[in-house]
Amino acid sequence: MKFLVFSDYQKLSEAAAEQFSKQLRQKPDSLLGLATGSSPEGMYRELAKRKVDFSRAETVNLDEYVSLPATHSQSYAYFMRDKLFDLVNIDQKRTHIPCGTAKDLKEECLRYDELLKKLGHIDLQILGIGHNGHIGFNEPQDHFEKNTHVVDLKQSTIEANARFFSSLGEVPRQAITMGLYPIMTAKKIFLLASGEGKAKILKEAFFGPITPFVPASILQLHPDVTLFADEEAFRLCKI
Ligand code: GLP
C-alpha cells in the first residue's frame, strides 16, 4: 500500500491525473474502472484539461442508482458524461455503467458480470470511499459481496448523498454496484480521499482490522493500492 499525501485537493487531483495519464501512455487500450462522487471530480477535470488520449480506452463504472434514467442529472451515467466522457476523446460505445432502470435488476447484474468477465481484469481502478467505508456501493454488512448486486443503501449513505438532490426524499434507496471481485482483481487501484470528513474512515480502512463492516478494509489485501489523500483526510493515519 502506497500513501501519497498532498497539502490540498487540487494537488491531489493533479498528481492522480498525472499517474492516470501515465497508465494510458503505457497501455493506451487500458480497461479503466471509474468512480463517481466529489473525490475523483478534480482528477477528471485535470485529465480533460491535459487532453489525455482516451481513444483506445474502455471504461467500466462501479455503480448506478436504481430508478434514475441516464438522462437524470444525478444519475452516475450523467455524471460521467458531464465530468469526463463529453470532455475527452473516448468512444462512448466503450463506456459501461450498470443500468439503474433495467426492468429486471437481477438480469442487469448478471449482464454486468458477464461484461466484466468478457473485458478481463481492470488495468486501473479508481475509487472513492464512503464515510462508512463503502467502495462503489458495497455497503457494510456481515460478508464481502463478490459479484454485481442490488444494494439497499444505508441511511447514512442516503443522507451523505442528499447534498446532490433537492430533498432527502429524492435520493434513491437502492443502487446496483459492482462487487468486490473485479475491484480486488484490478491490476492497480487508486483510492482518492479528501477533507476532514474522511479522516476517521481512512484510519479504520487502512490501519484497522479487515472486516466486511468496513468494506474498503479488504483493500489491505491488494498488492497495488495507492491512496491519494490530502492532509486533512490523512490526519489520523500514522505510517
Ligand atoms: C458514493 C459512491 C462512491 C463514492 C462515495 C464517496 O456514494 N457510490 O463510489 O466513492 O460515495 O463519495 P465522495 O467522493 O463524494 O465523498
Side-chain angles (χ1 to χ4, degrees):
M1 180 111 207
K2 214 192 281 171
F3 298 102
L4 301 179
V5 184
F6 303 89
S7 54
D8 59 45
Y9 178 66
Q10 178 56 25
K11 292 214 170 64
L12 175 169
S13 302
E14 286 168 10
E18 183 47 43
Q19 292 297 314
F20 191 114
S21 35
K22 192 171 152 206
Q23 168 70 33
L24 277 175
R25 281 197 301 275
Q26 286 173 346
K27 189 170 187 278
D29 61 347
S30 289
L31 177 61
L32 304 164
L34 300 181
T36 54
S38 11
S39 307
E41 242 190 278
M43 180 186 75
Y44 293 151
R45 204 164 37 237
E46 283 299 315
L47 290 171
K49 203 167 97 189
R50 291 160 192 230
K51 301 199 186 320
V52 171
D53 183 12
F54 279 81
S55 60
R56 294 177 57 201
E58 183 127 18
T59 68
V60 281
N61 260 78
L62 285 167
D63 48 13
E64 180 59 283
Y65 286 117
V66 165
S67 81
L68 293 194
T71 48
H72 190 288
S73 65
Q74 293 312 326
S75 72
Y76 287 166
Y78 188 100
F79 175 102
M80 289 310 302
R81 287 196 308 276
D82 189 43
K83 309 291 182 201
L84 187 68
F85 298 155
D86 285 349
L87 312 177
V88 295
N89 63 342
I90 198 160
D91 175 355
Q92 302 223 11
K93 288 195 293 292
R94 288 214 294 262
T95 66
H96 311 281
I97 302 187
C99 174
T101 54
K103 272 209 186 90
D104 186 335
L105 293 172
K106 278 217 173 105
E107 241 345 278
E108 176 58 8
C109 293
L110 291 175
R111 182 194 70 82
Y112 209 63
D113 278 337
E114 275 307 308
L115 172 76
L116 290 164
K117 204 162 122 192
K118 193 182 103 204
L119 293 175
H121 290 193
I122 292 167
D123 291 297
L124 171 62
Q125 176 66 56
I126 303 301
L127 294 174
I129 184 168
H131 294 100
N132 62 5
H134 71 226
I135 45 178
F137 267 134
N138 287 275
E139 292 278 43
Q141 56 178 354
D142 61 6
H143 61 284
F144 289 114
E145 201 92 46
K146 183 177 168 193
N147 295 321
T148 303
H149 56 285
V150 176
V151 58
D152 292 330
L153 299 176
K154 299 277 178 198
Q155 189 58 25
S156 62
T157 300
I158 293 168
E159 281 163 18
N161 290 357
R163 69 190 193 279
F164 299 114
F165 293 82
S166 39
S167 73
L168 188 64
E170 277 183 32
V171 188
R173 270 34 189 176
Q174 286 189 313
I176 298 186
T177 185
M178 197 189 269
L180 293 166
Y181 180 78
I183 297 175
M184 287 303 285
T185 53
K187 292 175 195 155
K188 192 189 276 291
I189 298 177
F190 293 170
L191 189 143
L192 279 50
S194 87
E196 167 66 30
K198 297 288 168 74
K200 191 165 163 286
I201 195 61
L202 280 191
K203 184 180 178 197
E204 280 178 43
F206 297 123
F207 296 91
I210 297 166
T211 159
F213 293 107
V214 182
S217 65
I218 198 174
L219 298 173
Q220 292 181 43
L221 298 175
H222 190 282
D224 192 355
V225 179
T226 305
L227 170 69
F228 292 78
D230 61 13
E231 280 165 8
E232 287 184 350
F234 202 69
R235 194 174 62 83
L236 301 175
C237 295
K238 284 196 187 77
I239 42 173

